[in-house]
Amino acid sequence: MPGRQFAAALLMTVFATVVAASSSSELAGSSWRLVKIASMDDSVDVPDDPSAYTLELRADGSATMVADCNRGTGSWTSASPANIEFGPVAATMAICPPGSLSEKYLAQFQWVRSYVLQDGHLFLATMADGSIIEFEPLDEQGPAATVLGEDIRTTDVGEMQEIILSRLFDQYAEQNGIEVTEDEIASFIDNMKHGMKEKGLTAEDELTPAEAAQVDAMQRDMGRSMIRQWKINKALHREYGGRVIYQQFGPEPLDAYREYLEAQQREGAFVIHETAFEDEFWSYFSDDSKHSFFESATEASAFEIPPWES
């Protein structure tokens, strides 16, 4: 993707994040498992295994769902006490065993409008009282993994992987003196704005002063994060070499990631305690069918120019 189109796509992500951002809520950071779905036609659906249907409401406004053999992700907002709404849920589409509530469970969230906390349980109500979805707190369990002495408690292998990579990359950046300058952030934002103008997108002109200030802060945070990760990727590729894959936000040194992580695991920097997560964690780095690779002739030049300036 040309640099400015790439930057424009990033800025659209900023606007989407502003819209989807969750306000402060007592539900932020909570995790639940399904008790039952009671519908207005008096039918009640009770899961055979409540732990197979979970809901995590993260403090950053994102939501994750386990629905039997499927996984879902989306956003949530709580503009006022007792109010809650979910954005569109992106879910896998595996065919679960007969009797599964996967499809019905995931279909509820688009209609949810309010909630009640009672006796430690969470009750979500859909529009026109169509359904009441009852949850109980997710049972406390041992950590799924430990990274640099920090326990990771989650039922989502994707979240576990994200935390492990984040903590190890933070350490790698510190050890290798990887930093982001103000000039680099300014150049990044300038490319984003040029990309928006060239595509005829003027959403930024319609923001209120408060929204514009929020977008500006998010642009800077996004720029700092993107530039830092690109520098980390470049340093890892220089150190370990190997194949490079295409990703939405730039090239990623897949083989270098794997070699670095294998070395960190051998040294005890992280341990995956949940054995069911082990293979899925590593499959991203070992299953070539998941990725599109750079041609071998272009691997060496993959990190010469940042993708937002190419």
Side-chain angles (χ1 to χ4, degrees):
M1 180 184 294
R4 289 181 176 175
Q5 290 183 344
F6 172 89
L10 287 178
L11 189 51
M12 291 305 294
T13 302
V14 170
F15 289 125
T17 305
V18 170
V19 172
S22 172
S23 62
S24 176
S25 168
E26 61 184 333
L27 297 179
S30 61
S31 301
W32 308 88
R33 67 179 188 179
L34 181 65
V35 174
K36 63 184 178 183
I37 303 173
S39 302
M40 64 182 300
D41 60 4
D42 294 330
S43 64
V44 178
D45 293 289
V46 179
D48 293 333
D49 178 8
S51 64
Y53 300 87
T54 65
L55 171 64
E56 293 187 41
L57 301 172
R58 299 176 182 169
D60 64 0
S62 62
T64 61
M65 303 89 174
V66 174
D68 198 355
C69 68
N70 286 299
R71 302 292 183 272
T73 59
S75 62
W76 69 283
T77 59
S78 181
S80 60
N83 166 264
I84 186 171
E85 295 189 30
F86 292 84
V89 174
T92 57
M93 301 180 67
I95 300 176
C96 300
S100 173
L101 298 178
S102 177
E103 185 175 348
K104 182 168 187 176
Y105 175 63
L106 290 172
Q108 300 297 316
F109 292 100
Q110 64 178 317
W111 308 113
V112 170
R113 293 295 182 271
S114 62
Y115 76 90
V116 171
L117 286 172
Q118 184 176 342
D119 298 328
H121 282 212
L122 170 66
F123 298 83
L124 301 182
T126 64
M127 295 175 61
D129 295 326
S131 298
I132 302 294
I133 309 105
E134 181 180 351
F135 295 88
E136 62 186 0
L138 194 62
D139 289 341
E140 185 68 19
Q141 57 185 6
T146 301
V147 56
L148 301 177
E150 174 189 349
D151 287 339
I152 304 172
R153 299 180 185 275
T154 180
T155 60
D156 185 339
V157 65
E159 181 181 21
M160 180 197 72
Q161 185 182 75
E162 180 182 345
I163 294 172
I164 290 174
L165 291 177
S166 175
R167 302 299 186 267
L168 293 178
F169 286 157
D170 285 347
Q171 176 181 261
Y172 186 84
E174 182 178 354
Q175 291 173 341
N176 290 272
I178 295 174
E179 298 179 346
V180 179
T181 69
E182 289 298 317
D183 286 345
E184 288 171 333
I185 295 174
S187 175
F188 178 92
I189 294 175
D190 184 58
N191 273 279
M192 293 179 78
K193 292 182 176 179
H194 277 295
M196 293 292 290
K197 289 180 180 179
E198 288 182 357
K199 295 175 75 69
L201 300 173
T202 60
E204 191 171 7
D205 299 335
E206 301 173 4
L207 297 175
T208 66
E211 290 171 337
Q214 186 179 9
V215 166
D216 180 69
M218 295 182 71
Q219 286 176 344
R220 293 183 59 79
D221 289 343
M222 178 177 287
R224 183 177 294 104
S225 176
M226 289 291 302
I227 296 166
R228 178 176 177 272
Q229 189 60 50
W230 181 80
K231 287 185 171 184
I232 291 172
N233 288 351
K234 182 177 181 179
L236 283 168
H237 187 252
R238 184 171 58 245
E239 181 174 354
Y240 293 97
R243 298 171 300 170
V244 179
I245 61 174
Y246 291 95
Q247 288 288 51
Q248 181 180 6
F249 296 142
E252 184 176 290
L254 183 70
D255 289 345
Y257 274 16
R258 187 185 65 253
E259 289 194 36
Y260 170 69
L261 289 170
E262 288 173 346
Q264 292 297 303
Q265 189 178 51
R266 286 194 300 270
E267 294 171 8
F270 74 97
V271 179
I272 299 175
H273 305 295
E274 183 59 61
T275 55
F277 286 3
E278 183 87 22
D279 288 343
E280 192 169 351
F281 174 89
W282 288 108
S283 69
Y284 176 85
F285 308 101
S286 60
D287 185 351
D288 289 357
S289 67
K290 296 177 180 287
H291 310 293
S292 296
F293 291 84
F294 276 60
E295 296 291 336
S296 58
T298 61
E299 284 175 354
S301 60
F303 296 98
E304 286 185 357
I305 303 175
W308 53 89
E309 295 181 359
S310 61

